[in-house]
Amino acid sequence: QTPPPDAPPPPPPPLGRAEMADAAAESVGIFVKCGLDAKEANAMGAKLVAKLLEVLGEAGVAEKGCDKSVGVLLHSIASKFPANALSHRPHAIAMVMDKKLCTLPQMDACYKFLKAVGAESFDSAALEEACGVGVVVTREEVAAAVAGQIEAHKADILERRYRFVFGRLQVAVQKAHPWALGRVIKEELDKAALALLGPKTAADEAPLPKQKKEKKPKKPKAAAGGAGAEGGVEAEQESIDLFSHLPKPEANNGVHTEVRFSTGETERYANDKATLAAHLARTGGAVVTRFPPEPNGYLHIGHAKAMHIDFGYASQSGGRCYLRFDDTNPAAERQEYIDHIQEIVKWLGWEPYKVTYSSDYFKQLHALAVELIKAGKAYVCHQKGEEIAASRAARKDSPWRDRPIAESLALFEDMRRGMVPEGQATLRMRQDPRNDNFNMFDLIAYRIKFRPHPHAGSEWCIYPSYDFTHCLVDALEDITHSMCTLEFETRRASYYWLCHHCGTYLPHVWEYSRLNITNTVMSKRKLNITNT
């Protein structure tokens, strides 16, 4: 094989501190020209700054500036526009610049409409109707609505005077007239309050006397929890729902992540309506989670937290949770660990919906790998481990990255049939070796290992990697919420990149903090050492 020429050199080094300071000052200057407050502009995070610069550029006001009323709406687009509908952002910007969208309530209505639409086409007239375009709410109408609210709460207002929370009335008027300007509602409320109560007196301005807070009686400690018959561990109900921020299965059409490539392109991954509808039909709209340990060691107490989240959320939501053994490495898995994990899950009171193995899906995964090669998104590579590491450090392509698709297909088939020696070839995903995220550096999808698998037997001599298997099996099992610890956060890009290019359903990924306890072994690897 004659490798192609070396890849282009890596991108230039990042900006120094002085250059970064100059760039930040330039950004603030642009924002101020668009009516935004300089202090708030200086406090913006880097991501919002980048998005706002993009929006102002699309609106054509980055250089010449604009009125504050327009700048506020463009800032709203940068910070709140639904990510799954970003292809429609230019349309929303045009509506702002054409004075069709003039208020923040209209912007919120626009976001709600486009989030439901996603990346699909829509009827412009329907959007304008949903946003109240052309609807004019006069000051007289606002004044009449304010008078009605003042009359309804008159006794309370007269008793509490200016200590009454007039914001409640503003919310009620805004609900009755959603397209009215908030500023006008506030002005009419202030005018009506002054007419009813007169100017503020010294008593109105005086601070309220401090009142001693009564101590709440301590709750009796709950007895040690037992195990429920079906739902898992019974625990004292907490006042805060730890899972309230997670989307419902039917609402999983938002963008899960945004990947910026070194070429300047951006990919955003979200379920379209058809994919989501098919998923909901298969699951009945239920929450589906999984507890996916690799059977290569003994569980530690950190896994109890993982089980509480995976099984607990499914139980709380009336859903189901798989116990899935992530058994992609035949050299590491042992039946002893499988038996131990099942014993611990049962001991803690959890009842899996099904017990599955990643190896159950080896045929489907192989078929997806073949399709990935055909799509030009994977290739057979002959670099050794140390060569791959050196190429990644230098941000250079593999010499075999651009080999013909037909050649990779033939070599991958040779690998499957055992005709390529172990260590002489891998299948790699064709991602982005110069990406800022090292988990997009053309990760390995398949390796050759001439050894039988504890669960799958001797059928295979190529085995998929964790990075290739984990996300695709989540999709194949219709997992609605794929939950893991924070060290996996950087893997989001490759997780969704692979699911997207394989054309599968996209689960919602949520990362949570690891459980750390001092003087306690919190590693399967270390537990294995202490038990050998």
Side-chain angles (χ1 to χ4, degrees):
Q1 301 282 347
T2 303
D6 285 345
L15 298 176
R17 288 186 179 180
E19 293 168 312
M20 289 177 67
D22 291 342
E26 183 180 354
S27 299
V28 170
I30 292 171
F31 299 158
V32 170
K33 282 195 299 182
C34 293
L36 303 180
D37 181 74
K39 188 176 180 180
E40 291 180 5
N42 275 304
M44 284 183 195
K47 287 185 179 179
L48 180 55
V49 167
K51 285 184 178 179
L52 184 52
L53 288 172
E54 284 181 7
V55 169
L56 296 178
E58 289 178 25
V61 297
E63 293 185 8
K64 62 182 180 181
C66 62
D67 293 338
K68 181 177 180 179
S69 59
V70 173
V72 168
L73 301 183
L74 295 177
H75 177 272
S76 171
I77 290 177
S79 57
K80 297 174 67 177
F81 198 87
N84 65 323
L86 279 171
S87 58
H88 300 311
R89 190 172 72 179
H91 188 94
I93 292 172
M95 290 179 73
V96 170
M97 301 310 294
D98 292 341
K99 305 296 184 184
K100 290 184 176 181
L101 298 177
C102 304
T103 68
L104 290 175
Q106 285 183 309
M107 299 305 301
D108 290 337
C110 175
Y111 304 149
K112 182 179 180 181
F113 180 95
L114 292 177
K115 184 176 181 180
V117 167
E120 299 181 14
S121 58
F122 63 90
D123 182 3
S124 297
L127 172 61
E128 292 188 8
E129 182 180 356
C131 298
V133 174
V135 176
V136 177
V137 181
T138 65
R139 186 175 285 272
E140 288 73 20
E141 289 175 306
V142 172
V146 166
Q149 289 294 323
I150 292 288
E151 185 62 31
H153 297 83
K154 188 172 182 179
D156 196 12
I157 295 172
L158 289 172
E159 179 183 348
R160 302 176 64 188
R161 290 183 57 78
Y162 285 101
R163 300 191 193 281
F164 179 84
V165 182
F166 287 93
R168 290 164 44 199
L169 306 190
Q170 180 158 358
V171 170
V173 174
Q174 190 78 72
K175 188 175 181 180
H177 296 286
W179 315 127
L181 290 172
R183 170 181 54 80
V184 173
I185 297 174
K186 177 69 166 57
E187 289 172 358
E188 290 301 319
L189 269 173
D190 290 344
K191 189 189 300 183
L194 183 63
L196 179 63
L197 303 174
K200 287 186 179 181
T201 64
D204 293 326
E205 300 282 5
L208 287 170
K210 291 184 179 180
Q211 295 180 348
K212 291 184 178 181
K213 293 183 179 179
E214 294 183 6
K215 290 185 178 180
K216 294 181 180 179
K218 291 184 178 180
K219 293 182 180 179
K221 290 185 178 180
E230 297 180 0
V233 178
E234 293 178 352
E236 182 182 356
Q237 291 295 317
E238 297 182 0
S239 58
I240 299 176
D241 181 1
L242 298 177
F243 307 114
S244 60
H245 65 287
L246 296 175
K248 303 296 182 186
E250 63 273 15
N252 189 16
N253 69 330
V255 164
H256 295 289
T257 198
E258 178 180 276
V259 178
R260 295 179 182 273
F261 291 83
S262 58
T263 58
E265 296 174 292
T266 299
E267 288 185 359
R268 300 174 179 92
Y269 308 125
N271 290 310
D272 58 31
K273 284 185 177 179
T275 301
L276 182 58
H279 160 78
L280 294 172
R282 292 190 297 269
T283 64
V287 166
V288 185
T289 62
R290 81 290 177 271
F291 174 57
E294 184 179 356
N296 63 347
Y298 298 103
L299 300 185
H300 53 73
I301 197 169
H303 290 99
K305 176 177 179 178
M307 280 184 261
H308 174 72
I309 289 173
D310 293 324
F311 285 101
Y313 178 50
S315 175
Q316 175 181 308
S317 306
R320 49 189 181 264
C321 180
Y322 287 85
L323 169 58
R324 183 206 305 156
F325 291 106
D326 200 356
D327 59 340
T328 58
N329 184 0
E333 282 91 34
R334 284 162 45 182
Q335 187 62 41
E336 172 190 353
Y337 298 138
I338 292 173
D339 295 341
H340 156 76
I341 290 169
Q342 288 184 295
E343 179 185 350
I344 293 298
V345 170
K346 184 177 181 181
W347 177 66
L348 286 175
W350 302 116
E351 185 67 33
Y353 166 65
K354 283 183 183 178
V355 177
T356 60
Y357 297 78
S358 291
S359 56
D360 293 340
Y361 303 93
F362 275 180
K363 286 185 179 179
Q364 294 99 312
L365 294 172
H366 175 264
L368 288 170
V370 170
E371 292 303 313
L372 206 62
I373 297 171
K374 290 179 180 178
K377 297 297 181 181
Y379 61 96
V380 173
C381 177
H382 301 287
Q383 285 187 305
K384 304 291 192 296
E386 60 274 13
E387 293 172 327
I388 291 176
S391 293
R392 286 173 171 168
R395 303 289 185 91
K396 294 181 70 174
D397 291 352
S398 161
W400 290 277
R401 191 172 196 266
D402 295 318
R403 76 187 326 157
I405 288 173
E407 192 175 298
S408 281
L409 284 170
L411 283 166
F412 190 51
E413 176 61 13
D414 288 345
M415 290 167 61
R416 186 192 67 80
R417 294 170 60 195
M419 298 171 63
V420 180
E422 188 168 333
Q424 294 300 307
T426 59
L427 182 70
R428 294 178 65 183
M429 294 176 260
R430 200 171 189 276
Q431 296 170 305
D432 185 11
R434 297 172 189 78
N435 201 282
D436 290 337
N437 185 338
F438 62 88
N439 281 303
M440 288 294 289
F441 289 3
D442 284 15
L443 300 180
I444 290 173
Y446 270 85
R447 293 184 176 90
I448 301 168
K449 286 184 183 291
F450 290 111
R451 66 168 63 206
H453 188 280
H455 186 67
S458 302
E459 182 178 357
W460 299 91
C461 62
I462 55 170
Y463 293 100
S465 66
Y466 170 87
D467 292 296
F468 186 80
T469 305
H470 188 70
C471 56
L472 292 178
V473 176
D474 276 354
L476 291 170
E477 291 186 338
D478 274 312
I479 301 302
T480 59
H481 298 80
S482 177
M483 298 180 280
C484 52
T485 47
L486 281 168
E487 67 264 32
F488 292 95
E489 186 175 14
T490 56
R491 294 179 185 263
R492 268 198 187 203
S494 60
Y495 183 107
Y496 285 119
W497 180 92
L498 183 55
C499 284
H500 172 76
H501 288 290
C502 286
T504 69
Y505 166 78
L506 307 178
H508 177 84
V509 173
W510 176 51
E511 298 92 358
Y512 55 88
S513 61
R514 285 175 62 97
L515 177 65
N516 289 313
I517 302 176
T518 55
N519 302 315
T520 304
V521 177
M522 304 293 287
S523 162
K524 277 197 296 182
R525 192 173 293 106
K526 291 178 181 178
L527 279 174
N528 289 351
I529 293 172
T530 60
N531 282 276
T532 55

